[in-house]
Amino acid sequence: MSALEVRDADVYYGRVHALRRLSFDVGEGEIVCLLGNNGAGKSTTMNMLSGLVRPRSGSATWNGMDLTTAKPWNIVADGLIHVPEGRRIFSTMTVHENLLLGGYTVRDKRVVGERLDRVYETMPRLAERRRQQGGTLSGGEQQMVAIGRAIVGGPRLLLLDEPSMGLAPLVVKQVMEIIAAVNAQGTTVLLVEQNARAALKIAHRAYVVETGAVTLSGTAAELARDPRVVEAYLGA
Amino acid sequence: MMQLIWNGLIVGSFYALVALGYSMVYGIIKLLNFAHGDIYMLGAFVGFFTLSAFGISNETSIPLLLVILLLSMVTTGLIGVGIERVAYRPLRRSPRLAVLITAIGVSFTLEYGVRQIFGPNPEAFPVRLESRGVDLLGMRITASQIVLVVIAAGLMLVLAHIVERTREGRAMRAIALDPQAAQLMGVNVNRVISTVFFIGSSLAGAAGVMAGAYYGSIDFLMGFVIGLKAFTAAVIGGIGNLYGAMLGGVLLGMLESFGSAWFGGEWRDVFAFAFLILFLTFKPTGLLGARVVERM
């Protein structure tokens, strides 16, 4: 059974038709990747799932929760956590405070403490910089803070929007390793990427999204070999 | 000299309390809430109304003042929340100018609403500060003045603790930096904004009661000038910055105290607003504003 089910979702920004009957599934424990160019509707999809934009028609359900009507804070509290494009670190707050904010919906302080310890353990770079302002970190470190912030929230489904954006290839590799590790510990992942090569290495399945609709889908291995994907997204 | 400092500190703590609300609201939704000074006026009138209803006048009891202070704070806090809900929230996505004009409209509504109920003439505030005091280091200090300053300082400490150390305070600072990212952390942004309006308005209400007791008389326009002064204080300190508002308030109180002693009382407001213009021209970020270090 799928954890996340999106069916025929239509999203409009004014007159712009951003998602056109978009459908896809994410199964429990999977890493699923949405591939596509700028403006294909990937971020809109993410924003729809976290309740920031509402579809005009269609459905999006996650473990029985109707994401098209649920309040954004209830979605987060239920473990669907969205790491937005551009990381959106709170720039004048410290790394530690950024991570604490990730646990905003977690009532039990002890649980927050345990998760913080785990984040600092898996990303020791953040432990070194815990008193530093978020805005002073490098892009890769900021991405780690963004992912760490989500982990403190206790994600069951993690939405990651362009985590590799603007990062050096070596750092992209590190970030992808962190994502794979989070997944290995039981968190389902929906990954949006333009960097198809990096994403397909860790994803189980993928969908290609063009102008707001799915045009291709399959396992990561299948898509990595598909000539249409190779030509459009992997560069021959 | 010491007397001037002491007087400046008292008036400055009123300014600081009002400036805090100004600055917090600006910080979180980037609105210059020009109705904020009128909340201060409402605080004084809530106190006046309650005490009059119990037939109290010309009291000098400090415990009574504290009870009234608390009552006014809760009432003005709720009024502030109501104003945001009715007047500002529907305009959250509107151009800033529309909200600003609405704030001025709210200001008039409060001023002339109170005038309608209590009339245009000044009223004597029923709780006064006793004038007996001690002379210390060339200052004449009364017990109740000390109480005022201690309450003001206490309120500011509590506020600083909330904003710096609690989960709600972190959410407030997060919204000020990036409301959408804060929402992705699971923050109910509207609820936190309401909390900010409650806190800001209750601080202004507290200042109103304290000013009523300190000056002895209140009127429906008393919030107008202090609103502008608090704005000045917030700008001097760096608008949006908590400690800036406190610093700016006390500094402005001192400036006025010394200004009126040296140049005459009629120059007091000129002095204050001249500083506003100077700061807006030469250091619009204020003393503590915008210490942002950013790298992408």
Side-chain angles (χ1 to χ4, degrees):
Chain A
M1 194 201 122
S2 321
L4 175 72
E5 262 187 40
V6 177
R7 288 286 171 272
D8 299 327
D10 277 294
V11 171
Y12 290 80
Y13 292 120
R15 291 223 183 96
V16 180
H17 198 169
L19 295 187
R20 302 161 188 261
R21 300 178 63 85
L22 180 85
S23 300
F24 68 94
D25 296 272
V26 180
E28 195 74 54
E30 280 190 302
I31 298 182
V32 171
C33 180
L34 302 183
L35 298 173
N37 290 322
N38 262 337
K42 296 168 299 173
S43 292
T44 303
T45 306
M46 298 300 230
N47 289 340
M48 175 185 72
L49 297 176
S50 50
L52 297 181
V53 299
R54 301 297 190 181
R56 188 176 290 181
S57 60
S59 68
T61 51
W62 178 61
N63 283 332
M65 183 184 237
D66 181 355
L67 298 176
T68 64
T69 55
K71 301 287 184 198
W73 49 92
N74 290 333
I75 295 176
V76 175
D78 216 46
L80 192 162
I81 300 180
H82 177 178
V83 179
E85 186 177 349
R87 357 248 193 242
R88 308 284 281 269
I89 296 300
F90 301 107
S91 58
T92 56
M93 297 170 80
T94 65
V95 167
H96 194 68
E97 284 184 314
N98 267 282
L99 295 176
L100 280 173
L101 267 162
Y104 181 82
T105 60
V106 184
R107 285 288 170 181
D108 190 341
K109 278 192 177 172
R110 218 184 43 233
V111 173
V112 174
E114 284 166 11
R115 289 178 187 160
L116 279 169
D117 290 344
R118 208 169 74 220
V119 168
Y120 284 135
E121 225 168 87
T122 45
M123 295 180 260
R125 289 272 283 286
L126 298 188
E128 287 164 31
R129 301 183 184 277
R130 56 183 281 161
R131 301 259 160 256
Q132 212 167 309
Q133 284 193 356
T136 65
L137 304 184
S138 72
E141 289 164 342
Q142 290 196 12
Q143 188 61 58
M144 288 180 199
V145 173
I147 294 173
R149 205 164 59 171
I151 291 172
V152 179
R156 293 196 286 149
L157 171 57
L158 188 59
L159 309 184
L160 293 157
D161 197 346
E162 302 275 1
S164 76
M165 194 173 70
L167 303 183
L170 198 66
V171 185
V172 172
K173 190 163 168 278
Q174 282 174 7
V175 168
M176 291 298 160
E177 278 164 8
I178 292 170
I179 296 168
V182 172
N183 174 251
Q185 285 167 14
T187 300
T188 308
V189 175
L190 176 61
L191 177 64
V192 154
E193 264 300 345
Q194 288 196 60
N195 186 342
R197 194 180 303 275
L200 288 177
K201 268 183 198 146
I202 60 165
H204 303 115
R205 292 190 304 116
Y207 293 84
V208 173
V209 181
E210 282 166 29
T211 58
V214 169
T215 54
L216 217 64
S217 66
T219 65
E222 282 165 12
L223 285 186
R225 284 194 308 266
D226 191 298
R228 289 165 293 184
V229 175
V230 171
E231 196 191 337
Y233 303 103
L234 295 175
Chain B
M1 171 75 178
M2 292 305 277
Q3 189 68 50
L4 291 179
I5 293 179
W6 180 240
N7 292 345
L9 188 65
I10 296 172
V11 176
S13 57
F14 300 159
Y15 291 161
L17 285 176
V18 183
L20 280 169
Y22 236 114
S23 208
M24 284 178 80
V25 165
Y26 181 82
I28 201 159
I29 56 172
K30 309 293 176 263
L31 162 69
L32 291 174
N33 181 11
F34 279 118
H36 191 62
D38 299 299
I39 300 284
Y40 159 93
M41 177 272 294
L42 279 181
F45 271 90
V46 168
F48 169 76
F49 175 78
T50 316
L51 290 164
S52 307
F54 284 100
I56 297 166
S57 68
N58 245 327
E59 268 286 343
T60 54
S61 146
I62 288 174
L64 182 66
L65 182 67
L66 292 181
V67 171
I68 288 303
L69 191 78
L70 211 61
L71 184 87
S72 286
M73 285 177 73
V74 173
T75 313
T76 50
L78 293 175
I79 292 170
V81 171
I83 290 171
E84 189 272 331
R85 188 72 194 79
V86 173
Y88 303 148
R89 190 176 300 177
L91 297 172
R92 193 72 56 75
R93 284 162 212 275
S94 310
R96 276 228 224 128
L97 190 59
V99 198
L100 198 70
I101 293 167
T102 306
I104 294 170
V106 170
S107 168
F108 285 141
T109 308
L110 296 178
E111 286 168 7
Y112 291 90
V114 168
R115 182 185 189 272
Q116 203 62 34
I117 298 168
F118 294 96
N121 299 321
E123 304 278 0
F125 200 73
V127 179
R128 307 286 296 272
L129 299 179
E130 51 186 335
S131 45
R132 277 178 301 115
V134 290
D135 291 307
L136 185 77
L137 299 168
M139 298 183 278
R140 181 154 189 83
I141 297 175
T142 70
S144 31
Q145 287 176 339
I146 295 176
V147 170
L148 288 190
V149 173
V150 169
I151 294 171
L155 289 173
M156 289 184 229
L157 282 176
V158 170
L159 179 70
H161 174 80
I162 292 174
V163 173
E164 294 286 340
R165 296 262 174 265
T166 69
R167 168 176 172 275
E168 277 320 272
R170 263 196 302 278
M172 288 172 195
R173 286 181 289 140
I175 296 173
L177 289 169
D178 186 342
Q180 206 183 49
Q183 190 169 2
L184 290 178
M185 303 296 108
V187 175
N188 181 343
V189 173
N190 279 330
R191 213 203 59 224
V192 175
I193 289 173
S194 289
T195 310
V196 167
F197 268 85
F198 183 89
I199 294 175
S201 302
S202 65
L203 292 179
V209 171
M210 288 159 66
Y214 181 70
Y215 296 118
S217 93
I218 62 175
D219 67 82
F220 73 101
L221 284 177
M222 68 188 273
F224 177 71
V225 170
I226 195 145
L228 292 177
K229 296 274 180 69
F231 174 64
T232 306
V235 168
I236 289 178
I239 194 151
N241 182 305
L242 221 60
Y243 300 104
M246 299 179 194
L247 179 71
V250 173
L251 221 57
L252 187 65
M254 299 284 181
L255 283 173
E256 284 192 5
S257 177
F258 282 92
S260 31
W262 291 339
F263 302 102
E266 67 274 21
W267 289 94
R268 196 180 65 166
D269 292 353
V270 176
F271 219 67
F273 297 127
F275 267 92
L276 174 62
I277 293 168
L278 282 177
F279 265 91
L280 285 176
T281 313
F282 295 108
K283 200 160 185 342
T285 54
L287 294 173
L288 302 181
R291 290 174 305 178
V292 187
V293 194
E294 229 162 277
R295 197 174 104 201
M296 278 301 281

